[in-house]
Amino acid sequence: MFIEITFIAYFIDRVFGEFKFIRHPVVFMGDFIKWFEKYFYKDNISRGVLLCISLIAITSLFVSLIEYFISNTFILALIASTGIASKMLYDSVKDIINNPSNIKYLVSRDTKELNKSDINKAAIETYGENLSDGVIAPLFYLLLFGLSGLFIYKAINTLDSMVGYRNERYEKFGKFSAKLDDIANYIPSRITAILIAVLFFNIDALKKIRHYGKLHQSPNAGYPISAMGFCTDTALGGDTKYFGKIKKKPFFSKGKKEINSGDILDALKFRNRLDILLSILVTILILS
């Protein structure tokens, strides 16, 4: 297990966030996906499988070279921090309080007709869902498998975000990417939901997230969203408009339907509580 690297990487990201002076590893992954799609796209599953294998193999090779030539824990943690998005996610969601129109950059639903309550709801849903694939999942794979685990996970996550759509172009080509992402996020999404409930000391959430979480179309996204809804006493989910059409969706939590900016701040308290938990764990490790 890569405990030291994981803790240091988290706190580097917590303080500094993304380093603007370097090109983010996910951007390179995205460039490869675009290049592959441009020259090798075919409307079939096997070509999508080849895309996944290619990106994962290239990612593994680069990370293996880094680990071969670099053994310094801090430098490895500095590199690993680029795969964690705690500060960026927190700042982006908090920004919605003062700049509600920026919600269009965070969600795929139609945003032009959203009222303030709907915008606040979308922000909380985004924070809950992305805590899993932006924070907890990267930490999970980094802790268990080191840099290789972290960046292979980021490759899978990037593939899903770019081609894992159920539309005419990507239904077949992106199917393997989408399924692989579902598998990779299965455990982290549930760990995220439990962490949210535990850090908010909400027994009711612990009891109900399994029932409400599985109502989501995604096999994973509903769990952290449900936990965040119960912990902020807000009704997350419900009918949502995408591309001009209303999509019927269940509610993933029970609570008030008029959601205000204070509820966003309540949701964002998770970060500080996670900081405290990790700080306690670091202290225990140092003293033991």
Side-chain angles (χ1 to χ4, degrees):
M1 294 177 72
F2 301 84
I3 297 174
E4 290 183 0
I5 291 175
T6 303
F7 282 130
I8 296 171
Y10 173 79
F11 285 110
I12 289 174
D13 174 75
R14 172 67 172 81
V15 175
F16 299 104
E18 290 190 6
F19 299 107
K20 303 296 184 182
F21 54 87
I22 62 170
R23 205 150 189 254
H24 198 282
V26 168
V27 176
F28 286 108
M29 294 176 185
D31 288 342
F32 175 81
I33 294 169
K34 291 176 183 176
W35 173 83
F36 186 99
E37 185 177 354
K38 180 178 179 180
Y39 291 102
F40 301 105
Y41 171 85
K42 279 189 178 180
D43 185 25
N44 60 50
I45 293 175
S46 60
R47 197 55 64 97
V49 172
L50 182 60
L51 167 62
C52 290
I53 293 173
S54 300
L55 181 58
I56 290 172
I58 292 170
T59 301
S60 299
L61 175 62
F62 272 97
V63 174
S64 296
L65 289 172
I66 290 171
E67 292 178 318
Y68 180 80
F69 288 106
I70 300 174
S71 58
N72 182 277
T73 299
F74 181 80
I75 295 176
L76 291 173
L78 191 64
I79 296 169
S81 72
T82 63
I84 305 167
S86 177
K87 180 174 172 55
M88 183 184 70
L89 175 61
Y90 180 95
D91 291 345
S92 298
V93 173
K94 189 175 182 180
D95 175 64
I96 301 304
I97 295 173
N98 295 319
N99 301 289
S101 64
N102 285 346
I103 193 66
K104 63 179 177 286
Y105 300 119
L106 302 183
V107 297
S108 58
R109 69 193 69 181
D110 295 348
T111 60
K112 289 183 179 180
E113 298 176 9
L114 295 181
N115 60 36
K116 193 68 166 68
S117 177
D118 290 334
I119 291 172
N120 293 332
K121 177 173 72 171
I124 296 173
E125 289 178 6
T126 295
Y127 188 59
E129 180 177 356
N130 286 284
L131 275 174
S132 178
D133 54 22
V135 182
I136 304 303
L139 291 174
F140 176 77
Y141 286 107
L142 176 59
L143 180 64
L144 292 183
F145 306 111
L147 254 65
S148 295
L150 168 63
F151 286 109
I152 288 173
Y153 169 76
K154 296 302 293 185
I156 293 170
N157 196 237
T158 305
L159 283 162
D160 179 65
S161 68
M162 293 185 68
V163 302
Y165 298 102
R166 302 193 66 177
N167 57 30
E168 186 176 349
R169 181 171 179 82
Y170 294 123
E171 176 68 32
K172 294 179 181 178
F173 184 72
K175 189 170 186 176
F176 187 76
S177 295
K179 292 297 182 184
L180 198 59
D181 186 72
D182 287 343
I183 294 169
N185 281 298
Y186 186 88
I187 294 175
S189 66
R190 286 149 179 81
I191 291 175
T192 304
I194 293 170
L195 270 175
I196 292 169
V198 169
L199 292 178
F200 278 94
F201 308 105
N202 194 311
I203 302 300
D204 192 46
L206 274 175
K207 292 178 180 178
K208 295 179 177 178
I209 51 177
R210 185 174 182 273
H211 170 75
Y212 283 88
K214 65 183 180 182
L215 298 177
H216 200 288
Q217 183 179 11
S218 162
N220 301 314
Y223 291 87
I225 291 174
S226 175
M228 191 60 77
F230 280 109
C231 291
T232 55
D233 190 30
T234 55
L236 302 183
D239 295 350
T240 309
K241 183 182 283 190
Y242 295 91
F243 308 107
K245 295 181 179 180
I246 295 292
K247 182 177 181 179
K248 294 289 183 180
K249 294 170 64 175
F251 284 98
F252 307 119
S253 57
K254 289 186 176 181
K256 59 184 180 181
K257 294 185 179 180
E258 280 299 316
I259 302 173
N260 57 54
S261 58
D263 298 315
I264 295 179
L265 292 175
D266 285 342
L268 292 172
K269 290 177 182 177
F270 175 84
R271 185 184 71 167
N272 290 338
R273 297 181 184 209
L274 181 63
D275 289 349
I276 293 170
L277 174 63
L278 294 180
S279 296
I280 292 171
L281 293 176
V282 169
T283 302
I284 291 172
L285 288 171
I286 291 174
L287 295 177
S288 62

